[in-house]
Amino acid sequence: MTDESNSPMTDTDSTTTGPLLPEDITTDSPFTLPGFFDALAEGRLVAARCTECDTHLLPPRPACYGCGSRAVTVSEQPRTGEVRSYTSVNRPPSAFEHLAPITIAVVELDSSARLTGRVDAPLADVTIGDRVELQVRDPEEAGIDPDFDLSYEEEWPVHVFELV
Amino acid sequence: MSTAHLIAVGSSPLGKTDLPGRDLFSKALAEAFEELPDPADVVDGLYVGAQSERYENQIMQGTLMAEWAGLRNVPAERVEACAAAGALALKNAVRDVRAGVHDAVLACGVEKMTAGGTEGATNALGAAFERALEQRSGITAPATYALLARRYLHETDATERDLARIAVKNHRNAAANPRAMFQEAVDVETVMDAPDVAPPLKLYDCAPVTDGAAAVVVANDEVAADLRSRPDAVRVAGVGSAANNLAVAERDLTYVEGANVAATTAYEDAGMDAADVDVAEVHDAFTVCEALLAEAAEFAPKGHGIETVEAPEDRSAGWSDVQINTSGGLKARGHPIGATGILQAVEAYEQLTGRADDRQVADADTALLINEGGVADAHTVAHVLTTQ
C-alpha cells in the first residue's frame, strides 16, 4: 500500500505544474494503475487534474486530453455525484455472467470528474440525475470471476455506486 | 502526389458461414480480381484489417492474406483499431499510392466472429473498452452504446421508436442488397417488441455478429488507366482520421467530436463539403450511431440526426439530401468487424459506378464513408470517394 510520506504525488495540494519526470512514474504514484488502485483500496479515489484547463482525468494519466498539457496534478475526488446515463448489461462478458443483469452508469462526481461503474440497484430504480455514492469493494466481494483478473490486477479493488 | 483510385471490389458471403477467415478472404479476393490479372501482377503491398486474434487464434494476418493472394516478399501488414480496422487498411493503402510508395495496394478486412459463439464475440469485443475501470465493471459493446443512446434520448426529442425506424430503414435497404446478411424487411413493431440487449437498445438496434471478408484494389492513375475503363474507377478524394477518448465515461455522450474531425478533414482533403455528398455509409453498429454520425458528418443539424430515416424533402431545414446506409449498414448488411470499413467502400463503389441495381441512388457521384472503432469515435476513419 502507498506510504503517503514517500509519495508526494498523492498530495492533493500538489503544486505540480509541469510534466511528470521519469522517476515520478512508480507503482506508488497514482499516475500509475497500481498506485491509483492502492489509493482506492484505502478509500481515496484520485483523479488527475489539468492545471491549465481544469479537466479531470480518471484514472490519472500524464497528459490532458482536453488541452494537451502535461501540467497535471492529482486531486482526491468526492465520492458523491449524479447519474449522467445508465443501462443494464443483460449479456455480460463470461466473468460477469452470474451477476447479470448488471446495472451500469456513467456518473459525474461533484468535482465534474466522470467514471463508469456498476450501480447496486435494479435498472428500474435508476434514472438520469439520481444521486449516487461510490463504494469500494474487494474483487471477491464484488463477485467477479477471479479468472478475469490479470496477474497484476488480482489485488485491485472494484468500485460500485449505491443510490443515496 | 499521385491520385488513388478504387478499381475493383469484392466481398465474401456475410453471416454465419462454415468458412474460416482465410477462406472468406479467398472469396472476396476472387471477386475483386475476376476481371484483373493475378494480384502479384497488380499490387505491391497489402493491408488487412482484423479486430481480434481471439476468434481464430491467428495473428500474422498480413502474411497469411498475402500468401493466399500469391504475394511474396512485399509489405503486408495487419492493422487494428477494433471496428475501424477496415478503413484503416484502406487509408494506409491510399496513403502509399498517393505518396508513390506503391503503384497499387490491396486493402482488405476479415473477421470470423462466430467461431466462439456469442460469448466468444462478446469477450473479444470487450477488449476494445477501457480496462481498468470499464471492463472491470462488466461493460459490453451494446452497453457502451446504450449509455450514449439513453443520454441522446434524454437531451433530444428523439424516442426509442425513432431509433427503431433507423433499423427498419436499414433492413429495407439490405433487402435490396444481394451482399447483405439480412435481406428481409422488418416493421417498427417487430423492432420495438424485440428483447432488450442493453436498454434502451433492443435486439434490432444492434448490428449482428457476422463472419465476412472484403477486399478492394487501390491504384494510381497509370494502373487504373491500364486495367480499367474510366467509368470503372472511383477516385479516393479525401481521407481523415482521429482518435478520441477510450473510456465512455470521459467522452461527450451526445456528440462524436472525433468523427466530426475525421469527416471534415476528409472533406477538406477532397475540396468538398457535406452538401456535395450524395450517399454515405456510416458506422451504425447501433441505431443511435447513425443519428450521431449524421450530425458529426454535418449532414444534419445537431439534435436532428434521427431524421436520417426521412425522405430528403421531409427533413428539417439544414439537413442535406444525402442517402445514408443504402447497403443496409452494419445493422442489416452485417458487421464482420475488421471487414466493415472495406464493405462500406464496396457499397460506395457500386453506388458511384451505377452497379447498385434496386438500391441505386440516381446521379450519385460522391460518397462519404465513416468507420469507427471502440465506443463511438474512440477511433474514426473517414473517406470521400467521387467520380467527379
Side-chain angles (χ1 to χ4, degrees), chain B residues 206-231:
Chain B
C206 310
V209 170
T210 307
D211 298 336
V216 299
V217 181
V218 180
N220 67 11
D221 284 328
E222 291 72 28
V223 174
D226 187 34
L227 295 178
R228 302 298 258 174
S229 58
R230 295 304 303 170

Side-chain angles (χ1 to χ4, degrees), chain B residues 1 11 13 33 37 45 52 67 104 107 118 129 131 140 144 163 207 258 262 273 280 297 302 341 354 387:
Chain B
M1 189 175 83
S11 74
F33 282 84
S52 181
E67 276 193 53
T118 302
F129 306 111
R131 173 75 185 181
T140 59
T144 58
L163 295 179
D273 60 34
K302 196 164 185 318
T387 51

Side-chain angles (χ1 to χ4, degrees), chain B residues 1-6 45-50 77-81 83-102 104-109 214-219 235-243 258 261-263 265-266 269 338-346 369-373 379-385:
Chain B
M1 189 175 83
S2 297
T3 300
H5 305 270
L6 285 193
L46 173 152
Y47 291 98
V48 54
E77 300 170 12
R78 176 235 181 156
V79 292
E80 183 279 312
L88 202 52
L90 177 59
K91 168 181 173 276
N92 288 353
V94 169
R95 179 197 58 200
D96 287 358
V97 169
R98 282 177 157 190
V101 174
H102 298 303
V105 178
L106 183 61
C108 53
V216 299
V217 181
V218 180
R235 182 167 61 94
V236 184
V239 184
S241 74
V261 170
T265 301
D269 189 24
T340 283
I342 303 294
L343 287 166
Q344 292 180 325
V346 170
L369 313 179
I370 296 182
N371 189 201
E372 293 184 322
H379 192 104
T380 308
V381 183
H383 287 94
V384 173
L385 275 53

Side-chain angles (χ1 to χ4, degrees), chain B residues 116-258:
Chain B
T118 302
E119 184 184 345
T122 298
N123 292 339
L125 288 166
F129 306 111
E130 194 276 332
R131 173 75 185 181
L133 296 178
E134 298 197 333
Q135 286 189 38
R136 295 178 81 247
S137 296
I139 208 152
T140 59
T144 58
Y145 285 89
L147 292 166
L148 305 188
R150 176 79 70 194
R151 190 73 200 180
Y152 190 83
L153 299 185
H154 178 75
E155 289 187 15
T156 69
D157 295 333
T159 64
E160 288 183 41
R161 201 172 180 86
D162 290 324
L163 295 179
R165 292 179 68 207
I166 294 177
V168 169
K169 172 186 72 78
N170 288 345
H171 272 268
R172 186 171 66 235
N173 288 346
N177 183 1
R179 297 184 193 271
M181 177 170 174
F182 297 126
Q183 295 178 34
E184 71 267 7
V186 297
D187 60 21
V188 173
E189 298 314 321
T190 303
V191 179
M192 291 298 288
D193 293 344
D196 280 330
V197 175
L201 301 179
K202 297 170 278 295
L203 185 63
Y204 284 92
D205 288 296
C206 310
V209 170
T210 307
D211 298 336
V216 299
V217 181
V218 180
N220 67 11
D221 284 328
E222 291 72 28
V223 174
D226 187 34
L227 295 178
R228 302 298 258 174
S229 58
R230 295 304 303 170
D232 276 343
V234 169
R235 182 167 61 94
V236 184
V239 184
S241 74
N244 194 269
N245 287 94
L246 186 59
V248 66
E250 295 190 309
R251 55 164 304 102
D252 187 324
L253 295 176
T254 55
Y255 184 63
V256 279
E257 181 188 35

Side-chain angles (χ1 to χ4, degrees), chain B residues 291-372:
Chain B
L292 291 169
L293 288 171
E295 296 171 24
E298 302 184 348
F299 297 141
K302 196 164 185 318
H304 291 275
I306 209 82
E307 294 168 38
T308 178
V309 299
E310 307 289 352
E313 60 273 20
D314 296 329
R315 294 169 179 165
S316 295
W319 249 99
S320 85
D321 61 0
V322 67
Q323 296 288 328
I324 299 180
N325 287 333
T326 54
S327 68
L330 283 59
K331 172 76 241 355
R333 181 204 50 231
H335 184 26
I337 306 290
T340 283
I342 303 294
L343 287 166
Q344 292 180 325
V346 170
E347 174 67 10
Y349 181 85
E350 295 194 326
Q351 286 286 351
L352 301 184
T353 58
R355 289 179 166 88
D357 297 328
D358 291 346
R359 63 190 194 289
Q360 182 68 48
V361 173
D363 304 321
D365 59 39
T366 299
L368 176 73
L369 313 179
I370 296 182
N371 189 201
E372 293 184 322

